[in-house]
Amino acid sequence: MATDKRLLTWLLDSDPALRWQAERDLAGAPAETWEATRARVATEGFGAELLSKQDADGQWAGGAYFPAGYFGSAEADRPGQPWTATTWALKDLRDWGLDASVLAGTADKLAANSRWEYDALPYWGGEVDVCINSYTLATGAWLGADVSALAAWFPQHRLADGGWNCEAEEGRSERSSFHSTLNALRGMLAYERITADTSVRAARHAGEEYLLSRHLLYRATTGAPVGDFVGQFVFPSRHRYSALVALDHFRDAALLDGSPPDPRLADAVDLVRAARQPDGTWLQGARLLGRTWFDVDAPEGEPSRWLTLIGTRVLDWWDEELARTSSRPTPRRGAA
């Protein structure tokens, strides 16, 4: 389905970090066009500004996951957490499409200078939190660090029900979490795409089955919606699960695996489609609390270019695959 020209013009009138994805995923631009736009991420807009915040030792804000001096400060007593430290900055730059060569030497600097706030563990070895490890796995692969040992961590720490939970390592839960599982899947998918190492593929597919068996929305025990968060869309989503973020992962996974959309995604697709406004946009949700370097999207309640990019490419992918196969996906469960 072709994107409305007015909507596409609005999306293209944006920062290079977003524009190149709209050119590639929605406008059907040739590779030389969107690749040229993508190259501008290093020198313009969000990408250039965030690069300017990097410390001489390779970190951002002097810390791995939290800024230096965060613990024991007044900021630590406020709701939310700061999103300014190294892990979050690198995640943003990778998501925005920055060429890793721009950060040449950063992997070595982090190996020498950065330690996790948990037990001062070395940066590229990860720690005990699956979400933190997922970001580190993807970023390490992107920057050329050796994260093969961290990749092996994921199959070893998958829970009996098929997914992952950040609270499992401290014994607070034996059940998988939608949030943690999706973060693990996204990290493993990025690692596989960048390195061509398929050692995590079986674990990724098993984790994807955990979410698919719940149609991305429902509790296994009762069939009821797992929580309101599945329909709350916000950008940046950081660590938060939603049906939209999950569908964007399954689109990426299908493109890498060369597989069609799973019929069990249908209810989540309906939820995302219902949130689309009459003008084709999606509205920004309640932002996650915590300090940021700068804003990258619209205020709450206003049309979001980032959510509209993601929502449009997810629905285009789904609708085009349905049109291609000329079949309606089944079976389905009750709407959330």
Side-chain angles (χ1 to χ4, degrees):
M1 181 183 296
T3 305
D4 176 85
K5 289 184 178 179
R6 177 199 51 78
L7 188 67
L8 184 56
T9 298
W10 178 67
L11 290 173
L12 293 174
D13 182 21
S14 58
D15 189 274
L18 190 155
R19 180 184 173 106
W20 76 265
Q21 297 183 63
E23 290 173 339
R24 182 193 64 181
D25 299 336
L26 304 181
E32 57 266 26
T33 297
W34 61 259
E35 287 173 353
T37 303
R38 184 174 182 173
R40 290 164 46 201
V41 172
T43 58
E44 299 177 26
F46 302 151
E49 186 168 358
L50 189 51
L51 284 169
S52 74
K53 309 296 185 183
Q54 188 179 20
D55 304 329
D57 67 359
Q59 299 187 106
W60 276 258
Y65 197 75
F66 296 94
Y70 172 76
F71 294 101
S73 68
E75 185 178 16
D77 295 328
R78 294 196 289 267
Q81 73 168 79
W83 309 104
T84 53
T86 303
T87 295
W88 298 109
L90 289 174
K91 182 179 185 298
D92 284 341
L93 290 169
R94 179 172 53 82
D95 288 345
W96 295 342
L98 180 75
D99 191 306
S101 65
V102 176
L103 288 170
T106 292
D108 290 339
K109 288 181 178 180
L110 294 181
N113 303 316
S114 192
R115 294 292 182 270
W116 294 108
E117 292 78 9
Y118 181 90
D119 283 356
L121 294 170
Y123 192 83
W124 295 120
E127 49 131 283
V128 299
D129 183 290
V130 64
C131 296
I132 291 175
N133 286 351
S134 71
Y135 311 143
T136 308
L137 179 69
T139 297
W142 173 55
L143 294 182
D146 181 2
V147 287
S148 56
L150 187 56
W153 183 94
F154 285 84
Q156 296 166 1
H157 288 78
R158 191 165 61 88
L159 300 177
D161 61 1
W164 291 262
N165 192 323
C166 290
E167 297 186 345
E169 295 304 311
E170 298 182 4
R172 295 200 300 266
S173 179
E174 295 181 355
R175 294 182 178 179
S176 297
S177 154
F178 274 44
H179 303 281
S180 300
T181 298
L182 181 59
N183 282 316
L185 296 177
R186 297 180 82 186
M188 287 187 287
L189 182 68
Y191 173 79
E192 182 178 343
R193 178 187 293 113
I194 294 167
T195 67
D197 179 358
T198 60
S199 63
V200 296
R201 182 178 292 178
R204 172 171 66 84
H205 285 170
E208 287 167 351
E209 179 59 28
Y210 167 83
L211 293 177
L212 286 168
S213 69
R214 291 151 176 79
H215 294 237
L216 309 192
L217 304 175
Y218 307 118
R219 295 185 184 277
T221 50
T222 65
V226 70
D228 292 340
F229 62 83
V230 297
Q232 296 171 350
F233 307 151
V234 63
F235 190 92
S237 60
R238 309 296 185 189
H239 56 77
R240 282 267 307 272
Y241 181 98
S242 74
L244 179 58
V245 177
L247 284 168
D248 202 38
H249 165 78
F250 278 95
R251 172 186 174 273
D252 284 347
L255 293 176
L256 181 65
D257 292 341
S259 59
D262 191 289
R264 291 170 291 179
L265 300 174
D267 286 357
V269 168
D270 287 348
L271 184 63
V272 168
R273 198 186 302 275
R276 183 168 56 182
Q277 301 300 297
D279 64 358
T281 65
W282 277 260
L283 302 182
Q284 176 74 290
R287 291 181 178 177
L288 278 65
L289 298 175
R291 177 162 52 95
T292 62
W293 288 111
F294 48 84
D295 291 337
V296 298
D297 204 359
E300 181 179 353
E302 294 188 10
S304 159
R305 280 183 171 86
W306 282 103
L307 294 179
T308 300
L309 165 71
I310 298 167
T312 302
R313 73 184 174 198
V314 161
L315 294 187
D316 282 358
W317 164 70
W318 177 264
D319 293 341
E320 288 166 5
E321 285 294 326
L322 285 188
R324 188 179 64 81
T325 59
S326 300
S327 62
R328 183 67 178 171
T330 55
R332 300 182 52 151
R333 295 173 67 169

